Structures are given as C-alpha cells and as structure tokens.
Amino acid sequence: MALRRRQNVLNLVQEAQWDPILEWYAKAVVEMSRRPIDDPTSWRYQASVHAYPRFGDPLERPRETLPPETEQKRFWDQCQHHTWYFLPWHRMYLAFFEQIVGKTIEDMGGPSDWALPYWNYCDTGDPRACKLPPAFIAHRTPDGGPNPLRSEHRRAGNGGEDVATKHDIDLEKCLVEPAFEGLGGGGGTGFGGMKTKPNHKGGDKEAGMLEAVPHESIHSAIGDWMRFSSKAPLDPLFWLHHANIDRLWVVWRRRRSIHTDPTDVVWLREFSFYFHDAERNVVSMTPEEVVDTAASPLEYEYDDVSDPIPGAPLPHLRSRRVPEMVGSTAGPILLTLRRTNADVPLIRPTGPAARASTEDRPDEAYLNFENIAGSGESPTYAVYLNLLDIESADQHEETYAGQLPMFGLEEASRSDEQHPGSGLGYVLNITDVVQALDARGRWNADGLRVTFVPEHAIDVAVAGAGSSAVGQPAVTVGRVSLYYVRSE
Ligand code: C2O
C-alpha cells in the first residue's frame, strides 16, 4: 500500500463544500461513536487508551459494560507524559487510531488511503493558523446535519477567535534544543523529555520541551475537555493537534544532523506498549519500531516537514554539564488571575558551577518549578524575570523566560492508585534571558524576581463565572529554584 499522506488541514478548505478527507473523518466519528465502549475500535475506547475519565465519564450510557478489568489494565490509561516516551507512545497511538478510522471509512465505501490531517497552529505566516480549523467549529456539515467535528466542550475557539498566544506557539525554544533527552532539574528536559520509566500522567516529572510548548500550551488554550488527559481525545480536534506534534518531531530530527533520537537500548526496546489494530488484533510496539514513520506498520508521511525557524542561532554544544542549585523560594507561591511575583534569593555558586561563573553570570541557567497543584480551569502562566512592578510584561519580551501551561493539572494534583498527586513540574532553560538581562544591566547575582503573568485569564474568568466554582483558580507552585550549569 502507498504511504498515507498527512496534510495540513488548512489546505483542505474548499468553499461551501468540505474536502473529502474531513467529510469522511466526520462520518467515521459518527460511526465509531455508535460502537459500544468495549469495542476497541469505538471512539470512547480509543480515547480511553489515553485515559478513561474515572471521576465522571461525560458520555456514560446506562447499562453499558466496560471492558473487563484485566483488559482495561493493559490497554487503557496508557498515555505517556513528562517522560521520554511521550513522543514514541503518541506516535503509536495516532498511527493505530488512523488505521482504525481508515478502515471504518473504507468499510463505509470511502477511499482506502485516508490519512489524519494536522493542525499547524505554529504557522505564523497564516493568520488562520491560530484559530480552530473551520470544519471543527461549523455547526453543520455541508449536507445540513449536525457537525460531529465540533465539540461544545471547549473553553475557547468555537467562536472563530484566535486561541493561541505567541507564547503558546513558540517553536524557538524547543526546536533549537540539541538533545532529545534531558536529566531534569538543572540538566533541562531535552526536546523529547526526561529519561524515566514509562510514566502515565506526569507524576512529579517535568515535561519535555516540545511536550510543554506547543503541546500542552495548545491543550490549555482550548481548555475544558482539552485540559484533561482523560477527555481531550474525545474531541476530534485532539488528533489533529497531536499529528502536528508528531510532525514537529520529524521537523526537529531533520533540522540539524546532530538532532538524533536516543540510542539508549532502554528507550529503544526495553518497554513495549500495547494497542489494537484496525482488525482488533493486539499489537505490541517499542519506540525503535516507530522512529521511521514510513516503515510498516506506520506507513505515513507529512506533506511538509520544512524548518519553520531556518535562521535560528545555534546553541552551543556541551559534552558534559554539571548543575548546581544557587537559590530557591522559601515557601509555596499562590497564583491567581493576576500577575504574581516570587523572589528567589541567590548565593554565589561554590560547588561545580563556581568555575564557570567568572563574572556573576552562568554558562547555562535553568529555572525549575516543582509541585504545581490545583483544580479547575487555570490560565497558562508566562514567566518573566526581573520585571519591575511598573513595567508591562508585553513591552519587555526580553525578560520572557517561558511558559507553564498547566495541562492535566487537576489529574496530576489528585492522588489515586495511579498518580502520586504531586502536581506538575516544568524546567525552563533561561540561559538566553539571563544573557540578555545581563547585557542590559538587569541581572543581579544576589536575587532573582520571577513574575507569573496569566494568559487566557479573561476566558478562564468567564468560564469560571458560569460554573458553581468561584472564578478564581487556586494554583500553587511548591518551589521555584535556579540552577547554574558549568558546561565543558
Ligand atoms: Cu497524551 Cu496531548 O496528550
């Protein structure tokens, strides 16, 4: 069979009519939604493979039977987050979903080469890119029926407005990162995530760079179901979002020859993940089997994997990095819908990072955010450094350090048998910002001010006002700490 060709959904727009790819997708959503939840090819089973909403399934039907416990244990709640398995696991997940949708379409008399489109919200050259694709917000399909691609469970986007801020779609940070894997904390998290055991739902580990932005930031920008790992895949748009993330993995790999996937056998083949194929057969896959999307059983390609940031500066390469913590906040920080400051007193490095700091400025610096916990809709927080209270964040982009998107916040904060409930974690590489601040005389070796600026706060307030909960999110950040890194 020829390769399936995944295309940019914005190239599939045709006047009054829909492109057949979207028309067939809509038909398949209806057909798969009709199937019972214990059928592996049903819409809800497929979403449950990511995570089943155990604390309230919005689509529960009276007297339905869930698959047996043993089957649920093996195939459900498998999504891999805040780990270096994030990219390969989601690649497998999407590929089998695509094949199931493809077979559903073929069985309904459609084409045999259907491929999942992708939504490239990062395309800053196209003003349509940061709005939800038109077919996903239209109330009706071209033949006049209700549109199954539209979900009412989105906080933002259904009105045709822009959903993503410039920070949500920032590729400059993740695509320039030279390493696939990170060590976490002072070592950064890498493009693809930290070296961990399979890790369903984050736990206390930090998100990889692509996983945080734009992956989690887009989830959070849309909100409502999209902010839960257990409900996001019920929205037909989820799959186009993830196709774009999967495509960005290919883009990163191709951008520079030193961008390579892990060669560690632990990543390559120590763990197998289980899925069902379109014939409902059980398949087991290892990351090694999915590094090439053109190979069987994946067999797909993207119509565009060109470099979106060709002129980006090359980060300096290091063979060995030794981190040292030089400061942390004293107690937890409460974040609200307003801008909030936290002060981090700093000491001069005395250990491994001392030698590098000839001036009071490090070779590399990482800001670590631990135990972020909370419930309800939360804004995404943009982090600025050494911003004065009288300054507006918008006008001081040189102090912008990165984002804390809060995808899965509620699930990561709740403790149950699967999750420790320790909240979310992020690490920001702030080396460039520190240098920019230093060049302007705004870096201070004795103390760092970290300012959290809510984005999407207005939408969140409006969404909160309609619910029984008060419209104030209660997000706490357990600790912020700064690491200097000496690199050799
Ligand atoms: Cu496993 Cu975007 O989520």
Side-chain angles (χ1 to χ4, degrees), residues 50 79 81 90 215 219 238 242 407:
H50 198 259
C79 68
H81 285 264
H90 285 81
H215 164 255
H219 273 282
F238 167 91
H242 268 272
F407 168 61

Side-chain angles (χ1 to χ4, degrees), residues 386-431:
N386 289 352
L387 187 65
L388 301 176
D389 280 337
I390 53 161
E391 290 175 332
S392 112
D394 283 352
Q395 280 156 26
H396 290 276
E397 213 38 39
E398 75 281 4
T399 69
Y400 172 69
Q403 253 199 357
L404 313 178
M406 311 291 174
F407 168 61
L409 175 71
E410 210 161 317
E411 293 156 309
S413 305
R414 186 190 277 136
S415 72
D416 60 34
E417 49 176 75
Q418 280 166 356
H419 311 137
S422 50
L424 298 171
Y426 295 100
V427 179
L428 303 179
N429 179 344
I430 60 166
T431 310

Side-chain angles (χ1 to χ4, degrees), residues 50 79-81 86 89-90 93 211 215-216 219 226 229 232-233 238 241-242 245 407:
H50 198 259
C79 68
Q80 297 297 310
H81 285 264
F86 168 73
W89 186 85
H90 285 81
Y93 181 44
E211 183 179 2
H215 164 255
E216 295 189 350
H219 273 282
M226 280 290 261
S229 60
F238 167 91
H241 169 29
H242 268 272
I245 295 300
F407 168 61

Side-chain angles (χ1 to χ4, degrees), residues 206 328-336 338-344 367-375 378-383 403-406 409 413 421-428 450-454 473-482:
E206 292 100 18
S328 67
T329 48
I333 304 141
L334 179 68
L335 303 183
T336 64
R338 290 169 197 269
R339 178 168 148 171
T340 308
N341 293 327
D343 288 307
V344 185
L367 201 55
N368 215 350
F369 300 82
E370 293 162 78
N371 303 114
I372 304 173
S375 61
S378 157
T380 291
Y381 289 93
V383 174
Q403 253 199 357
L404 313 178
M406 311 291 174
L409 175 71
S413 305
S422 50
L424 298 171
Y426 295 100
V427 179
L428 303 179
V450 178
T451 301
F452 300 85
V453 178
V475 176
T476 54
V477 178
R479 189 169 83 142
V480 182
S481 52
L482 177 64

